[in-house]
PDB file of all heavy atoms in Angstrom:
ATOM      1  N   VAL B 702     134.180 116.912  96.754  1.00  0.00           N
ATOM      2  CA  VAL B 702     134.014 115.500  97.144  1.00  0.00           C
ATOM      3  C   VAL B 702     134.308 114.570  95.967  1.00  0.00           C
ATOM      4  O   VAL B 702     134.995 113.556  96.092  1.00  0.00           O
ATOM      5  CB  VAL B 702     132.561 115.233  97.621  1.00  0.00           C
ATOM      6  CG1 VAL B 702     132.424 113.814  98.144  1.00  0.00           C
ATOM      7  CG2 VAL B 702     132.145 116.251  98.658  1.00  0.00           C
ATOM      8  N   HIS B 706     137.364 111.933  95.736  1.00  0.00           N
ATOM      9  CA  HIS B 706     137.174 110.491  95.564  1.00  0.00           C
ATOM     10  C   HIS B 706     137.797 109.990  94.263  1.00  0.00           C
ATOM     11  O   HIS B 706     138.266 108.862  94.194  1.00  0.00           O
ATOM     12  CB  HIS B 706     135.683 110.140  95.596  1.00  0.00           C
ATOM     13  CG  HIS B 706     135.156 109.965  96.986  1.00  0.00           C
ATOM     14  ND1 HIS B 706     135.052 108.724  97.588  1.00  0.00           N
ATOM     15  CD2 HIS B 706     134.732 110.860  97.896  1.00  0.00           C
ATOM     16  CE1 HIS B 706     134.568 108.883  98.810  1.00  0.00           C
ATOM     17  NE2 HIS B 706     134.356 110.160  99.026  1.00  0.00           N
ATOM     18  N   ARG B 711     138.374 105.269  97.399  1.00  0.00           N
ATOM     19  CA  ARG B 711     138.360 104.428  98.596  1.00  0.00           C
ATOM     20  C   ARG B 711     138.113 102.983  98.187  1.00  0.00           C
ATOM     21  O   ARG B 711     137.398 102.717  97.238  1.00  0.00           O
ATOM     22  CB  ARG B 711     137.262 104.879  99.559  1.00  0.00           C
ATOM     23  CG  ARG B 711     137.062 106.397  99.675  1.00  0.00           C
ATOM     24  CD  ARG B 711     138.280 107.104 100.261  1.00  0.00           C
ATOM     25  NE  ARG B 711     137.924 108.465 100.711  1.00  0.00           N
ATOM     26  CZ  ARG B 711     138.083 109.571  99.997  1.00  0.00           C
ATOM     27  NH1 ARG B 711     138.661 109.519  98.806  1.00  0.00           N
ATOM     28  NH2 ARG B 711     137.709 110.745 100.478  1.00  0.00           N
ATOM     29  N   ASN B 712     138.649 102.099  98.955  1.00  0.00           N
ATOM     30  CA  ASN B 712     138.444 100.657  98.751  1.00  0.00           C
ATOM     31  C   ASN B 712     138.793 100.220  97.325  1.00  0.00           C
ATOM     32  O   ASN B 712     138.090  99.435  96.703  1.00  0.00           O
ATOM     33  CB  ASN B 712     136.989 100.275  99.072  1.00  0.00           C
ATOM     34  CG  ASN B 712     136.628 100.656 100.488  1.00  0.00           C
ATOM     35  OD1 ASN B 712     137.271 100.233 101.445  1.00  0.00           O
ATOM     36  ND2 ASN B 712     135.611 101.507 100.635  1.00  0.00           N
ATOM     37  N   VAL B 749     133.497  95.725 100.404  1.00  0.00           N
ATOM     38  CA  VAL B 749     133.314  96.098  99.001  1.00  0.00           C
ATOM     39  C   VAL B 749     134.616  96.673  98.460  1.00  0.00           C
ATOM     40  O   VAL B 749     135.283  97.447  99.147  1.00  0.00           O
ATOM     41  CB  VAL B 749     132.220  97.189  98.831  1.00  0.00           C
ATOM     42  CG1 VAL B 749     131.903  97.416  97.361  1.00  0.00           C
ATOM     43  CG2 VAL B 749     130.961  96.836  99.590  1.00  0.00           C
ATOM     44  N   SER B 762     131.989 107.912  91.802  1.00  0.00           N
ATOM     45  CA  SER B 762     130.726 107.249  92.107  1.00  0.00           C
ATOM     46  C   SER B 762     130.984 105.844  92.649  1.00  0.00           C
ATOM     47  O   SER B 762     130.356 105.415  93.630  1.00  0.00           O
ATOM     48  CB  SER B 762     129.856 107.188  90.845  1.00  0.00           C
ATOM     49  OG  SER B 762     128.620 106.612  91.142  1.00  0.00           O
ATOM     50  N   ALA B 763     131.924 105.154  92.052  1.00  0.00           N
ATOM     51  CA  ALA B 763     132.260 103.804  92.527  1.00  0.00           C
ATOM     52  C   ALA B 763     132.835 103.868  93.935  1.00  0.00           C
ATOM     53  O   ALA B 763     132.499 103.052  94.806  1.00  0.00           O
ATOM     54  CB  ALA B 763     133.254 103.147  91.575  1.00  0.00           C
ATOM     55  N   SER B 764     133.690 104.847  94.153  1.00  0.00           N
ATOM     56  CA  SER B 764     134.304 104.995  95.458  1.00  0.00           C
ATOM     57  C   SER B 764     133.241 105.285  96.525  1.00  0.00           C
ATOM     58  O   SER B 764     133.230 104.694  97.612  1.00  0.00           O
ATOM     59  CB  SER B 764     135.340 106.121  95.381  1.00  0.00           C
ATOM     60  OG  SER B 764     135.846 106.436  96.645  1.00  0.00           O
ATOM     61  N   LEU B 765     132.320 106.186  96.191  1.00  0.00           N
ATOM     62  CA  LEU B 765     131.241 106.509  97.125  1.00  0.00           C
ATOM     63  C   LEU B 765     130.358 105.296  97.379  1.00  0.00           C
ATOM     64  O   LEU B 765     129.872 105.075  98.489  1.00  0.00           O
ATOM     65  CB  LEU B 765     130.396 107.664  96.559  1.00  0.00           C
ATOM     66  CG  LEU B 765     131.056 109.047  96.623  1.00  0.00           C
ATOM     67  CD1 LEU B 765     130.366 110.022  95.667  1.00  0.00           C
ATOM     68  CD2 LEU B 765     131.024 109.592  98.052  1.00  0.00           C
ATOM     69  N   LEU B 766     130.184 104.512  96.330  1.00  0.00           N
ATOM     70  CA  LEU B 766     129.369 103.303  96.480  1.00  0.00           C
ATOM     71  C   LEU B 766     129.958 102.368  97.529  1.00  0.00           C
ATOM     72  O   LEU B 766     129.242 101.848  98.389  1.00  0.00           O
ATOM     73  CB  LEU B 766     129.254 102.589  95.127  1.00  0.00           C
ATOM     74  CG  LEU B 766     128.488 101.264  95.064  1.00  0.00           C
ATOM     75  CD1 LEU B 766     127.886 101.078  93.684  1.00  0.00           C
ATOM     76  CD2 LEU B 766     129.343 100.049  95.413  1.00  0.00           C
ATOM     77  N   THR B 767     131.264 102.181  97.448  1.00  0.00           N
ATOM     78  CA  THR B 767     131.866 101.223  98.387  1.00  0.00           C
ATOM     79  C   THR B 767     131.642 101.676  99.828  1.00  0.00           C
ATOM     80  O   THR B 767     131.385 100.864 100.709  1.00  0.00           O
ATOM     81  CB  THR B 767     133.386 101.075  98.152  1.00  0.00           C
ATOM     82  OG1 THR B 767     134.029 102.328  98.411  1.00  0.00           O
ATOM     83  CG2 THR B 767     133.693 100.629  96.742  1.00  0.00           C
ATOM     84  N   GLU B 768     131.702 102.981 100.056  1.00  0.00           N
ATOM     85  CA  GLU B 768     131.473 103.484 101.415  1.00  0.00           C
ATOM     86  C   GLU B 768     130.015 103.347 101.820  1.00  0.00           C
ATOM     87  O   GLU B 768     129.700 103.109 102.982  1.00  0.00           O
ATOM     88  CB  GLU B 768     131.882 104.960 101.499  1.00  0.00           C
ATOM     89  CG  GLU B 768     133.378 105.172 101.408  1.00  0.00           C
ATOM     90  CD  GLU B 768     133.752 106.597 101.749  1.00  0.00           C
ATOM     91  OE1 GLU B 768     132.958 107.508 101.430  1.00  0.00           O
ATOM     92  OE2 GLU B 768     134.836 106.795 102.329  1.00  0.00           O
ATOM     93  N   THR B 769     129.145 103.503 100.832  1.00  0.00           N
ATOM     94  CA  THR B 769     127.718 103.526 101.143  1.00  0.00           C
ATOM     95  C   THR B 769     127.160 102.142 101.481  1.00  0.00           C
ATOM     96  O   THR B 769     126.373 101.997 102.416  1.00  0.00           O
ATOM     97  CB  THR B 769     126.927 104.109  99.947  1.00  0.00           C
ATOM     98  OG1 THR B 769     127.460 105.387  99.646  1.00  0.00           O
ATOM     99  CG2 THR B 769     125.446 104.251 100.275  1.00  0.00           C
ATOM    100  N   VAL B 770     127.560 101.156 100.721  1.00  0.00           N
ATOM    101  CA  VAL B 770     126.863  99.871 100.887  1.00  0.00           C
ATOM    102  C   VAL B 770     127.562  98.907 101.845  1.00  0.00           C
ATOM    103  O   VAL B 770     126.996  97.867 102.180  1.00  0.00           O
ATOM    104  CB  VAL B 770     126.585  99.166  99.533  1.00  0.00           C
ATOM    105  CG1 VAL B 770     125.790 100.092  98.616  1.00  0.00           C
ATOM    106  CG2 VAL B 770     127.862  98.712  98.876  1.00  0.00           C
ATOM    107  N   THR B 771     128.770  99.239 102.279  1.00  0.00           N
ATOM    108  CA  THR B 771     129.415  98.375 103.263  1.00  0.00           C
ATOM    109  C   THR B 771     128.549  98.350 104.522  1.00  0.00           C
ATOM    110  O   THR B 771     128.106  99.397 104.998  1.00  0.00           O
ATOM    111  CB  THR B 771     130.828  98.896 103.584  1.00  0.00           C
ATOM    112  OG1 THR B 771     131.555  98.989 102.372  1.00  0.00           O
ATOM    113  CG2 THR B 771     131.555  97.951 104.534  1.00  0.00           C
ATOM    114  N   ARG B 772     128.305  97.151 105.005  1.00  0.00           N
ATOM    115  CA  ARG B 772     127.482  96.892 106.212  1.00  0.00           C
ATOM    116  C   ARG B 772     125.979  96.949 105.963  1.00  0.00           C
ATOM    117  O   ARG B 772     125.192  96.841 106.894  1.00  0.00           O
ATOM    118  CB  ARG B 772     127.787  97.840 107.372  1.00  0.00           C
ATOM    119  CG  ARG B 772     129.234  97.928 107.695  1.00  0.00           C
ATOM    120  CD  ARG B 772     129.585  97.987 109.152  1.00  0.00           C
ATOM    121  NE  ARG B 772     131.043  97.929 109.261  1.00  0.00           N
ATOM    122  CZ  ARG B 772     131.750  96.844 108.980  1.00  0.00           C
ATOM    123  NH1 ARG B 772     131.157  95.716 108.659  1.00  0.00           N
ATOM    124  NH2 ARG B 772     133.055  96.879 109.050  1.00  0.00           N
ATOM    125  N   LEU B 773     125.574  97.104 104.737  1.00  0.00           N
ATOM    126  CA  LEU B 773     124.130  97.037 104.469  1.00  0.00           C
ATOM    127  C   LEU B 773     123.736  95.596 104.199  1.00  0.00           C
ATOM    128  O   LEU B 773     124.561  94.775 103.774  1.00  0.00           O
ATOM    129  CB  LEU B 773     123.765  97.870 103.237  1.00  0.00           C
ATOM    130  CG  LEU B 773     123.865  99.390 103.340  1.00  0.00           C
ATOM    131  CD1 LEU B 773     123.272 100.025 102.087  1.00  0.00           C
ATOM    132  CD2 LEU B 773     123.153  99.911 104.586  1.00  0.00           C
ATOM    133  N   ASP B 803     121.521 105.888 105.001  1.00  0.00           N
ATOM    134  CA  ASP B 803     121.959 107.271 104.882  1.00  0.00           C
ATOM    135  C   ASP B 803     122.640 107.482 103.533  1.00  0.00           C
ATOM    136  O   ASP B 803     123.742 106.990 103.299  1.00  0.00           O
ATOM    137  CB  ASP B 803     122.930 107.602 106.020  1.00  0.00           C
ATOM    138  CG  ASP B 803     123.462 109.024 105.874  1.00  0.00           C
ATOM    139  OD1 ASP B 803     122.840 109.805 105.109  1.00  0.00           O
ATOM    140  OD2 ASP B 803     124.480 109.332 106.510  1.00  0.00           O
ATOM    141  N   ARG B 806     125.773 111.286 101.567  1.00  0.00           N
ATOM    142  CA  ARG B 806     127.055 111.510 100.899  1.00  0.00           C
ATOM    143  C   ARG B 806     126.901 111.457  99.374  1.00  0.00           C
ATOM    144  O   ARG B 806     127.711 112.016  98.655  1.00  0.00           O
ATOM    145  CB  ARG B 806     128.119 110.522 101.369  1.00  0.00           C
ATOM    146  CG  ARG B 806     127.771 109.064 101.135  1.00  0.00           C
ATOM    147  CD  ARG B 806     129.017 108.185 101.115  1.00  0.00           C
ATOM    148  NE  ARG B 806     129.665 108.024 102.406  1.00  0.00           N
ATOM    149  CZ  ARG B 806     129.221 107.239 103.385  1.00  0.00           C
ATOM    150  NH1 ARG B 806     128.102 106.564 103.248  1.00  0.00           N
ATOM    151  NH2 ARG B 806     129.883 107.120 104.506  1.00  0.00           N
ATOM    152  N   TRP B 827     126.813 101.458  90.039  1.00  0.00           N
ATOM    153  CA  TRP B 827     125.571 100.993  90.670  1.00  0.00           C
ATOM    154  C   TRP B 827     124.934  99.885  89.857  1.00  0.00           C
ATOM    155  O   TRP B 827     124.349  98.953  90.406  1.00  0.00           O
ATOM    156  CB  TRP B 827     124.631 102.181  90.881  1.00  0.00           C
ATOM    157  CG  TRP B 827     125.277 103.211  91.764  1.00  0.00           C
ATOM    158  CD1 TRP B 827     126.080 104.235  91.367  1.00  0.00           C
ATOM    159  CD2 TRP B 827     125.265 103.242  93.192  1.00  0.00           C
ATOM    160  NE1 TRP B 827     126.555 104.923  92.457  1.00  0.00           N
ATOM    161  CE2 TRP B 827     126.064 104.344  93.596  1.00  0.00           C
ATOM    162  CE3 TRP B 827     124.645 102.454  94.169  1.00  0.00           C
ATOM    163  CZ2 TRP B 827     126.266 104.666  94.925  1.00  0.00           C
ATOM    164  CZ3 TRP B 827     124.835 102.787  95.500  1.00  0.00           C
ATOM    165  CH2 TRP B 827     125.637 103.879  95.869  1.00  0.00           C
TER     166      TRP B 827
END
Side-chain angles (χ1 to χ4, degrees):
Chain B
V702 185
H706 276 264
R711 321 296 196 264
N712 302 303
V749 188
S762 183
S764 172
L765 286 162
L766 178 152
T767 63
E768 290 191 326
T769 304
V770 304
T771 304
R772 309 220 174 291
L773 291 188
D803 177 17
R806 59 158 70 76
W827 300 88

